[in-house]
Every structure is written in C-alpha cells, then in structure tokens.
Amino acid sequence: MSGPTSQTAGAVLTIDLEAIVDNWRQLKARVGSAECAAVVKADAYGLGAAQVAPALAAAGCRQFFVAHLDEAIVLKPLLPAAATVSVLHGPTPGSEAEFVARGVRPVLNGRSQIDAWRRLAQRLDRELDAIVQVDTGMARLGLDAAELQGLASDAQSLVGIRVSCVMSHLACAEQPAHPANAAQRERFVAARRMLPPAPASFANSSGVFLGPGYHFNLVRPGAALYGIAPVQGSPNPMRPVVRLEGRVIQTREIGAGTAVGYGEGWRSERPTRIATVSVGYADGWLRRLGNRGMAWFGGVALPIVGRVSMDSLTLDAGVLPEGALSPGSLVELIGPYQGVDAVGNAADTIGYEILTGLGSRYARSYVGSAA
Ligand SMILES: Cc1ncc(COP(=O)(O)O)c(C=O)c1O
C-alpha cells in the first residue's frame, strides 16, 4: 500500500526545505567563524531527517546530531562521506563496536561510556574519535564535577580516545537575561581547562542568539532550523517551514443550545455552522486544543469548539458565509496565520512538542530546492 496522498489523506503537511536551508545559512552567518551543525534527531523534529539532512548537506553542513545510534544508522548512508553524524546519547552498553562499524561518532556522557570507549580503542588498537560532554547545569547528561575531577587526575582515562570536541548544553538559553546562561558558560570554560585541548560546542538555537561569547567552535541548532522562535518574547527571525492544512469532512447547521463533541464539551449560544475537520489527537493535534485552539480559512479565525477527538476536530465556522467551506476544503492549522509557536502556546506547550508529535497520516510534500 502506498502512503497517504493529498487526495486521500485527512490533511496535507508541506515542508519547505529551502526555508530550512535559509535558516541554517542565517544561523551560520550569525556565528562567524564557528561551524554550524544541524540537530536532526527525532526525524528532524518530525519533519523528515531523510529529506532535511541531505538538503542541509548540499548547502554545506557537515556536522549532524541525532539522539540514538539507530537514527544515525539510517542517516549516515544518506549523507556525503565527509559528513559526521554524532549520537548525543552515546553508546548504550555493548553497542560501542556498532558505532565504529557504522562510522558514527558518540558523545560520551559519563565515566562508564568513556571507559567502554577506551577499552574498545585498546582492543582495536587504534584511536577512536568522540565528543565528551560535561554537565554545566542541567543534571541530565555529561560528566558531573566529581567525574570531571576524576578524569583529569587519571592520566590513563582518555588513552586511545581522540577528543574531537568538548560540549555542554544550555538549560535556559531562550531567556537571554537568565543568570544560568553566564553561570553555565563559566563552568564550561573551567571544565575545558581540565580536559585535553579540543574544539568546543555549547550553543543550541537560542544559544546562537546569546552572542559570540556563547558560540565557541561549533553550534548545534535544531529548533530554529525548523522555524521555531529562538528568543522568548522577541520577533522570530527564522523563516517559517511548515504548513499544515486539514480537510473538512462535513459541515452542518446547528441551532442555539446544541452540544458538540464528546462530553458535550461545548454548547452553541446561537445558531451557527460546525465544520468537522479530519485531524485529531492521533495526528498530534493535541486534545488540549479543544475549546482553545483555532484553524484559519481565508484569513478568518475559526475556533476549535468541543473536545478534539482521535481523528477529527470541530470548528465554529459560523462567521464564514454559507458555502465557503464544503467537504474537501482545506483549513490552515499551521501556516502564515498561525505559526507552530502559536499552536504550542494555545496547547500550553512548546513548538518543539507540536512538531515532533505530528502524525504519520498526513500527506507530506516537500517544496523548495535542496541546495
Ligand atoms: C544536546 C543538544 N544539543 C542541541 C540541541 C538543539 O536544541 P534546539 O532545538 O533548542 O536548537 C538539543 C535539543 O534538544 C540537544 O539536546
């Protein structure tokens, strides 16, 4: 069976590869002489790593980050030989040899990953490349202060490991005035002094906008490539990337006092028209958007009324002239009138969660040339 097409699917998801490439170029221009990588984990934040990563490689991107080895195994053959794929979570115990076999670089996040990587290097009798991550204030991944001290005082600990980069990750970068940013930076600079000299990587998308002091040698943006606003409370300088249009299945006229959807989640105060759209929470259109989110048609906002169902949602389309919407019409769910950040806000979450949650039933189309 072939995949959903724009005729048969309940919604059409259009991804603009040229906008992604432009966003990468913009970030690259912002970091001057530092290198700009691309974070393409979680299937390029839901947008399709198999399409996104080669487009970025064609534009000159040479460093790619994913979370899992499995993601790297799929990605590696799609990229030029000169491209490096790094795995943020590092090797799960026993998977180290697979990294070498696949030509994939691990991020080593703690002493046990470092020790296992060193033992493999000794067994293979060759130097093995790796990134070493230090924790500077997230307590999520990376060497903590005690591990770093232990590593620095053990001359054998990194024998056989070529540390090609030292990295850390910012916790609060989207809030430029947050004191954690400078505090993490200070800890990062101190941590680097305790490790073999190596290029450094610190900034995610938002970190790029904290200024040159945060760029070091390699930046690792993800979200901003995909059009998500990198700085809280500031205009979004990135090009929008995603358009999601849901298909109307049916419209109906209802009288005042009519209950709509599960749990009678909404009741009309006046006669109006309901449009039922073929997108629901199984498609990543969060249930939380019931009675809160909206869709757009011809520049007119249509509130989601009642609860979002598994496969559909209901709009109050009473403001539109009769016949404006009919079965097959497409309404905008993400697009020029409502960006992905706005959808995240309406759902009490972030654009990241909206993008990575987009379902598999959409007809996907990629536009924009790759290079
Ligand atoms: C370690 C690491 N670096 C970089 C990124 C990219 O961050 P962003 O999408 O905010 O640019 C992530 C994403 O979560 C990450 O976990």
Side-chain angles (χ1 to χ4, degrees):
M1 212 171 87
S2 58
T5 67
S6 57
Q7 279 304 308
T8 56
V12 182
L13 179 66
T14 309
I15 295 152
D16 187 341
L17 293 174
E18 198 173 270
I20 295 175
V21 167
D22 269 5
N23 287 337
W24 180 77
R25 289 196 173 114
Q26 185 199 140
L27 295 165
K28 183 171 149 57
R30 282 178 189 271
V31 300
S33 60
E35 188 176 356
C36 189
V39 177
V40 293
K41 61 195 171 99
D43 202 22
Y45 291 41
L47 303 186
Q51 289 77 18
V52 168
L56 289 170
C61 181
R62 287 293 171 269
Q63 299 253 11
F64 295 86
F65 285 85
V66 293
H68 303 275
L69 175 58
D70 283 348
E71 296 178 304
I73 289 172
V74 174
L75 192 58
K76 192 77 172 59
L78 306 177
L79 295 174
T84 304
V85 180
S86 302
V87 173
L88 291 165
H89 291 185
T92 51
S95 70
E96 295 81 10
E98 195 65 13
F99 276 74
V100 177
R102 304 285 184 165
V104 169
R105 181 170 67 176
V107 174
L108 304 177
N109 292 294
R111 195 58 200 257
S112 65
Q113 287 188 338
I114 288 174
D115 290 346
W117 198 240
R118 186 190 61 245
R119 282 194 298 270
L120 181 62
Q122 282 161 1
R123 212 164 50 242
L124 298 176
D125 194 23
R126 57 180 269 213
E127 250 199 345
L128 295 179
D129 192 23
I131 296 178
V132 171
Q133 173 153 219
V134 292
D135 174 34
T136 54
M138 268 191 96
R140 185 179 73 167
L141 286 172
L143 293 157
D144 63 23
E147 280 185 310
L148 188 60
Q149 192 63 55
L151 199 73
S153 56
D154 175 359
Q156 298 303 306
S157 58
L158 289 168
V159 168
I161 299 179
R162 186 173 54 253
V163 180
S164 56
C165 185
V166 175
M167 70 167 263
S168 193
H169 192 49
L170 286 154
C172 305
E174 70 286 2
Q175 301 167 61
H178 202 295
N181 295 325
Q184 279 196 265
R185 187 186 179 283
E186 220 168 277
R187 282 181 221 123
F188 186 54
V189 169
R192 281 188 76 194
R193 288 200 204 102
M194 298 172 70
L195 289 165
S201 177
F202 194 45
N204 62 341
S205 300
S206 306
V208 167
F209 291 81
L210 292 177
Y214 287 79
H215 296 162
F216 294 90
N217 307 102
L218 174 73
V219 296
R220 308 184 310 273
L225 297 174
Y226 312 116
I228 288 175
V231 185
Q232 232 172 51
S234 289
N236 186 355
M238 311 317 297
R239 273 186 68 182
V241 164
V242 174
R243 189 177 182 115
L244 177 63
E245 297 160 290
R247 201 174 287 290
V248 172
I249 312 164
Q250 198 175 52
T251 62
R252 73 186 57 236
E253 307 295 323
I254 61 169
T258 306
V260 174
Y262 282 120
E264 300 190 334
W266 185 79
R267 195 174 288 277
S268 56
E269 285 174 2
R270 52 178 167 75
T272 190
R273 184 174 315 109
I274 295 295
T276 302
V277 174
S278 197
V279 171
Y281 61 76
D283 303 296
W285 208 253
L286 300 176
R287 197 165 174 276
R288 182 84 178 127
L289 289 163
N291 286 329
R292 305 168 60 112
M294 57 183 74
W296 291 77
F297 185 78
V300 177
L302 308 175
I304 297 176
V305 292
R307 292 185 189 161
V308 173
S309 301
M310 184 185 290
D311 313 294
S312 64
L313 56 83
T314 36
L315 301 173
D316 181 353
V319 293
L320 293 176
E322 199 183 338
L325 287 181
S326 56
S329 299
L330 289 170
V331 296
E332 175 190 308
L333 293 170
I334 301 174
Y337 289 99
Q338 173 168 272
V340 67
D341 292 301
V343 177
N345 280 338
D348 270 345
T349 180
I350 52 176
Y352 295 63
E353 195 176 22
I354 300 298
L355 286 191
T356 55
L358 291 174
S360 57
R361 294 194 289 189
Y362 301 132
R364 284 180 176 235
S365 98
Y366 290 88
V367 298
S369 68

